Amino acid sequence: MTELVFRKAEEKDIPRLVELNIRLKRLNEEFDPLFKTRDDIAETSKKYFAEAIKSPNSVVIVAENSGRVVGFLKADIVERLFYHPKIEGKIVEFYLLPEYRRKKHGAELLDYAVKMLKDRVEIITAEFPSLNEIAVEFYTRLGFRGIVSIYARES
Amino acid sequence: MSDEHGKLAVKSAPYYGGKLEIVPKIPVKSLEDFSVWYTPGVAAVSKAISENRELSFEYTWRWNTIAVVTNGSRVLGLGDIGPEAALPVMEGKSLIFKFLGGVDAFPICLNVKDPQKFVEVVKSLEPGLGGINLEDISSPDCFYILDRLRQQMSIPVWHDDQLGTAAATTAALINALKLTNRKLNKVSIVLYGAGAANIATARLLEKAGADITKMILVDTKGILHSEREDMDELMLKHPWKYELALKTNRAKLSGQLPDALEGADVLIAASTPGPDRIKKDWIQRMAQNPVVFLLANPVPEMWPWEAKEAGAAVVATGRSDFPNQVNNSLVFPAVFRGALDVKARAITDTMALRAAQALAEYVSDEKLHPDHIIPTMDEWEVYIHVAASVAEQARDENVARNPLNYDEEFVRAKKIIQRSRKLLMSLMDQHFIKPLPKVD
């Protein structure tokens, strides 16, 4: 079985991260029309990752197969102003190319991220489109439960 | 050609009022007899079945009766024309079932689009039937429906646009490879078109021993591979194609059909009607003596002589007026004959594969020729051979309620199919069936 290598993302990874992020957002598009991707998604993604890689409050991890990036995870460290536990590691992006799915690589990538965040955060959360049942199943299996719902309508 | 056929069909449709009717098969000499066939006598039969439901396969027509079920969402090349308009096609299919397989098939056209609801409705028909033939249902719903019904029903379920086409294609390919000295597990196969037919063909060829990692599927968006841009969309909307994208094309080749054909041994096109969908110079890019199947109807993706001129060693199409017609009608009557006679609980993929192999081996080495790789419909004994092979396979796989070996089923199938043909002849001889009307 293929072994994936995980590491912190570097600047050189940005073009590939942009590519994978576009795939991720296009996947989200399938779940709700309110996730329609913007035309400037490439430029926005580029800036987004450039900042995240430098930011002390974000963690971007890439999954590599033979030196080629095949997936990534981005988590932000945020303070919960009114609740305990106070510090949250929030997984905001998570993507693996199709051929690396259903082989436990997703769980490995998540594990790696949790280890990196462990000393800095008290809870780990993940956000994704409500209708993404694959994500629901994935996180539930790994011990997560739903604590927030976001409802939307067009104003 | 089709114009004339169409005219006659339209004239005949109201002239005969459809193509089938139900005719009794027990003697009725006086109204007294109804006390046996109907109440009170029939109660004893019902009581026996209520005590052992399996007896319904022996005490009623269930042993030989199937439904040809559609929702009319993808009828022939006509598209979503609705269940009423699908009825003449289902009648025609049922006619072929009876004439070539001796199977009593009746058409059921459902006003049900939702695939989950469709599954529920068809499932509920099980107690009165020996099998289900799904027909003309749009893709990808047809995959969901077939998979679910196969899991949930204890009678054979077959979707002819998938399994029938796949079996006929596999049969033709087995013989084409024999002629060109190739081995199935070594060849590179390009499948052009990723509808019900080719997806099922890819799956069946894998079962037959083809190297799926070397197979390449090409659809309207080009070569399918595991990193194609629409993969995530496919995962949600068409998991069957998604699975194939993950398994096929290990080299992750991208591009269009001409790129896929570079050095390929086999092309199986089941895409959209041609001609001129496939160019001669694309065939020239293939390996030496390639095998080229052009299965779109009514007009193949390119004319067969063009493929030959471009170097194809063996060419097959879906048309009866060209050599090598890859024709479902060679498969489904026989598969159901065999499955029904052993009271099969299912028609498995390996039974479909056995049907394909039987069909292929019916073409003897002496007869095998680039223009004759698959039997024709008028070689009616082929149905008996295929039925017997399928029955035996069902027995070997323990899906037969009434296991029969090859010879036993051969005799039985021959008798039933012969009777069915003679019956029709005698109805015509005795003028219960009128001669065809004249077309102006």
Side-chain angles (χ1 to χ4, degrees):
Chain A
M1 203 174 121
T2 329
E3 288 229 351
L4 297 189
V5 174
F6 306 109
R7 61 169 173 82
K8 276 187 80 165
E10 300 163 30
E11 243 185 79
K12 63 168 187 190
D13 298 316
I14 290 176
R16 183 66 171 163
L17 283 169
V18 170
E19 215 178 289
L20 295 177
N21 192 52
I22 293 173
R23 281 179 182 256
L24 169 64
K25 300 306 171 193
R26 296 234 162 102
L27 169 62
N28 288 349
E29 212 170 65
E30 298 292 326
F31 297 112
D32 197 291
L34 290 176
F35 290 119
K36 171 121 189 62
T37 53
R38 281 165 43 165
D39 294 340
D40 59 354
I41 184 168
E43 299 112 73
T44 320
S45 300
K46 202 170 149 190
K47 269 189 232 152
Y48 176 69
F49 288 110
E51 278 166 27
I53 284 169
K54 285 187 208 139
S55 163
N57 292 323
S58 288
V59 171
V60 184
I61 298 159
V62 293
E64 270 185 339
N65 177 23
S66 316
R68 187 164 164 268
V69 174
V70 296
F72 77 100
L73 178 157
K74 175 178 179 281
D76 296 330
I77 296 157
V78 290
E79 187 182 347
R80 302 169 82 221
L81 288 179
F82 310 112
Y83 304 114
H84 283 296
K86 253 164 63 184
I87 311 294
E88 172 180 351
K90 187 175 180 183
I91 298 166
V92 287
E93 322 292 352
F94 193 132
Y95 187 84
L96 264 182
L97 281 172
E99 63 174 301
Y100 302 96
R101 295 174 195 163
R102 293 183 300 189
K103 294 172 179 166
K104 304 211 159 52
H105 294 314
E108 289 164 17
L109 175 53
L110 181 76
D111 254 8
Y112 187 89
V114 171
K115 276 189 196 121
M116 279 190 73
L117 290 165
K118 198 172 64 185
D119 300 331
R120 298 178 57 194
V121 306
E122 295 156 289
I123 65 166
I124 305 271
T125 61
E127 67 172 43
F128 52 83
S130 310
L131 292 180
N132 185 345
E133 285 167 27
I134 299 166
V136 172
E137 200 272 331
F138 173 76
Y139 287 111
T140 308
R141 185 157 35 83
L142 295 170
F144 288 69
R145 62 178 186 271
I147 58 163
V148 180
S149 296
I150 297 179
Y151 276 65
R153 69 165 202 203
E154 280 170 271
S155 53
Chain B
M1 173 202 81
S2 55
D3 240 24
E4 274 170 45
H5 289 153
K7 270 187 199 159
L8 182 56
V10 169
K11 178 107 188 201
S12 302
Y15 182 73
Y16 292 106
K19 301 187 251 300
L20 305 160
E21 66 179 344
I22 289 180
V23 177
K25 59 184 176 188
I26 39 77
V28 180
K29 289 191 174 154
S30 76
L31 294 179
E32 268 299 283
D33 292 333
F34 291 127
S35 313
V36 177
W37 307 131
Y38 194 50
T39 185
V42 72
V45 182
S46 290
K47 194 161 170 282
I49 296 174
S50 76
E51 283 156 14
N52 176 8
R53 287 171 198 277
E54 296 283 298
L55 284 180
S56 61
F57 286 97
E58 286 169 44
Y59 286 14
T60 71
W61 73 347
R62 193 177 178 192
W63 67 274
N64 197 41
T65 302
I66 67 164
V68 176
V69 193
T70 189
N71 59 5
S73 56
R74 190 190 182 281
V75 181
L76 309 175
L78 303 171
D80 186 354
I81 57 170
E84 294 86 352
L87 186 52
V89 185
M90 302 308 121
E91 283 186 336
K93 188 90 180 187
S94 302
L95 174 70
I96 298 176
F97 262 117
K98 183 69 178 172
F99 190 69
L100 296 175
V103 174
D104 289 315
F106 60 86
I108 294 191
C109 299
L110 298 176
N111 193 11
V112 182
K113 279 280 158 62
D114 176 62
Q116 274 167 308
K117 210 168 145 196
F118 190 94
V119 165
E120 287 311 312
V121 174
V122 176
K123 245 173 70 182
S124 68
L125 299 172
E126 177 163 344
L129 293 170
I132 299 285
N133 178 83
L134 301 167
E135 197 73 27
D136 290 355
I137 300 167
S138 63
S139 164
D141 288 352
C142 64
F143 297 102
Y144 170 84
I145 290 169
L146 177 68
D147 287 357
R148 280 297 150 95
L149 289 176
R150 275 174 132 188
Q151 284 161 8
Q152 297 179 14
M153 295 184 86
S154 299
I155 53 173
V157 185
W158 178 267
H159 178 216
D160 205 44
D161 304 301
Q162 291 184 62
L163 303 163
T165 311
T169 306
T170 302
L173 186 60
I174 291 171
N175 281 340
L177 295 181
K178 208 165 157 188
L179 272 175
T180 56
N181 288 316
R182 288 179 164 99
K183 293 261 174 280
L184 184 60
N185 59 357
K186 295 270 195 290
V187 291
S188 53
I189 302 170
V190 174
L191 296 127
Y192 179 44
N198 262 353
I199 286 182
T201 299
R203 288 161 92 176
L204 194 64
L205 286 175
E206 186 192 15
K207 281 254 154 58
D211 182 352
I212 195 155
T213 65
K214 279 208 246 168
M215 252 182 238
I216 295 181
L217 261 89
V218 183
D219 65 9
T220 48
K221 291 188 175 144
I223 294 176
L224 191 65
H225 60 90
S226 65
E227 292 187 22
R228 206 170 77 172
E229 275 202 353
D230 60 340
M231 274 298 276
D232 290 311
E233 188 188 337
L234 288 177
M235 175 179 72
L236 300 171
K237 291 185 179 159
H238 199 328
W240 301 272
K241 203 194 264 191
Y242 177 81
E243 289 303 323
L244 280 178
L246 292 175
K247 287 169 110 175
T248 58
N249 190 6
R250 181 169 287 169
K252 288 189 194 158
L253 191 72
S254 60
Q256 297 297 325
L257 181 61
D259 307 297
L261 288 176
E262 200 72 57
D265 300 299
V266 177
L267 165 63
I268 300 171
S271 58
T272 38
D276 301 327
R277 298 235 155 240
I278 300 173
K279 309 278 176 233
K280 274 167 91 168
D281 60 308
W282 301 354
I283 301 297
Q284 282 161 354
R285 291 170 176 230
M286 295 178 71
Q288 282 280 307
N289 298 322
V291 173
V292 176
F293 292 177
L294 307 157
L295 306 180
N297 273 331
V299 182
E301 287 86 348
M302 73 191 292
W303 296 113
W305 54 87
E306 291 179 324
K308 285 251 168 150
E309 284 162 14
V314 183
V315 180
T317 69
R319 287 237 313 229
S320 56
D321 51 344
F322 298 140
N324 297 330
Q325 186 193 14
V326 175
N327 182 358
N328 298 18
S329 299
L330 290 165
V331 180
F332 66 82
V335 166
F336 271 93
R337 181 72 276 137
L340 288 170
D341 286 338
V342 297
K343 301 182 177 61
R345 278 181 285 270
I347 300 171
T348 61
D349 285 347
T350 32
M351 283 161 73
L353 180 57
R354 182 72 188 273
Q357 288 160 340
L359 193 55
E361 73 205 15
Y362 191 78
V363 182
S364 62
D365 284 350
E366 300 79 63
K367 281 194 183 160
L368 187 61
H369 180 272
D371 283 342
H372 186 70
I373 56 167
I374 189 160
T376 57
M377 275 169 72
D378 46 31
E379 295 172 81
W380 75 278
E381 288 205 346
V382 68
Y383 294 95
I384 303 165
H385 172 58
V386 174
S389 306
V390 169
E392 190 168 67
Q393 185 68 26
R395 182 201 63 179
D396 293 350
E397 291 181 25
N398 288 324
V399 294
R401 290 181 175 90
N402 172 40
L404 295 175
N405 66 28
Y406 181 93
D407 292 339
E408 288 165 332
E409 171 57 7
F410 191 92
V411 173
R412 187 183 157 108
K414 188 169 183 176
K415 214 166 114 187
I416 295 173
I417 296 173
Q418 265 177 339
R419 178 182 180 275
S420 178
R421 297 169 76 100
K422 279 188 193 155
L423 188 64
L424 187 67
M425 300 302 163
S426 99
L427 288 172
M428 289 191 290
D429 286 347
Q430 295 184 42
H431 306 291
F432 285 109
I433 297 176
K434 296 181 283 187
L436 280 170
K438 289 213 166 45
V439 182
D440 326 310

